[in-house]
Every structure is written in structure tokens, then in C-alpha cells.
Amino acid sequence: MKARLHLLLHLLNGHPSQGLPLELRLEGNEVRGVFRQENPVLGEVALPFASRLRGENLEAKLLPPPSLKVEGRVLSGTKGLELELELSLVLPEGQTWGERAFARILELLFYKSLERSLSQLPSSPV
């Protein structure tokens, strides 16, 4: 399952100005960050991500779970950076059916909570 986002960011000290629970920083040709989300089961969850910038394309660098896999494009515009992102939640591989079911529940909660938090923004990027 993936979430697609289209964001226009005015970057100030690595934080987007839209009030997103997202921290971004550009380090050479890498975009790194953390997405913070309140999870009804686990409390606040900080999901790190890293992507390599190749031209305008972002290629995901896999991090140990739990994390995000972030791919997409970065475009420079007159109002700031425009990001077209695809997010995938990376969780540990479940060994039993119960672990796989719990991972699926966490995945659904993540995407539902993401949709809810982003839809409350003035111009929803979802």
C-alpha cells in the first residue's frame, strides 16, 4: 500500500512551513527526514526516511524497520520546492499469521491517520 502526496514546501531550517509533522534536510544528494505521527496503538511514532536525489528524481534508500520508503520527484519553483512523493510503510517481516495481521492493522492505522492529518491542512496534499 502506498500514499501519494503533492507538497509545496517553503523550507525554513529544514522544516516545512505548512505545519506538517515532517522534518526534512538536504545533505549533499540525499534527502533525509522523519515523519512523526500519533498512532492510537503505539503512541507517537517517529518514522525515519532517506532518499537519494538523482536529477529531479528521489530514489528510496531502505532503512531498518520501522521506517518509510520515500520515492518521487523534487521540482524547484518560484514559491519553493515542489515534492511529489510516494510513501510506503516499512515494517518488520511477520513470522506468524498473528504478527502479519498485527502489521497489517498498523499499516492501515498509519495510512488512515496520515489521510486524516493531511486533510486538515488548508490545501490538502492527499
Side-chain angles (χ1 to χ4, degrees):
M1 185 179 284
K2 292 183 180 180
R4 292 179 187 218
L5 306 175
H6 185 90
L7 305 171
L8 179 61
L9 302 178
H10 303 283
L11 294 176
L12 299 171
N13 299 324
H15 298 279
S17 62
Q18 292 178 314
L20 293 173
L22 178 67
E23 299 168 14
L24 289 173
R25 64 187 177 282
L26 183 60
E27 299 173 353
N29 68 341
E30 287 188 4
V31 175
R32 294 185 165 270
V34 177
F35 185 85
R36 298 184 190 283
Q37 183 183 54
E38 193 63 35
N39 183 293
V41 176
L42 303 173
E44 184 179 279
V45 177
L47 298 165
F49 62 89
S51 299
R52 179 169 285 117
L53 190 58
R54 293 188 191 254
E56 65 180 32
N57 294 319
L58 281 175
E59 298 174 356
K61 292 180 70 176
L62 294 182
L63 300 177
S67 63
L68 289 179
K69 178 181 172 187
V70 177
E71 300 175 310
R73 296 183 342 149
V74 178
L75 305 169
S76 182
T78 57
K79 295 183 181 180
L81 291 178
E82 187 175 337
L83 302 177
E84 294 175 358
L85 303 176
E86 284 190 3
L87 306 176
S88 300
L89 183 60
V90 179
L91 295 172
E93 187 73 29
Q95 300 301 314
T96 66
W97 69 266
E99 290 172 350
R100 290 188 296 273
F102 184 65
R104 184 71 175 143
I105 290 168
L106 290 178
E107 185 179 38
L108 292 172
L109 285 171
F110 168 77
Y111 288 113
K112 189 65 177 169
S113 181
L114 176 65
E115 179 183 26
R116 186 173 35 253
S117 65
L118 294 177
S119 67
Q120 294 173 1
L121 295 174
S123 60
S124 177
V126 178

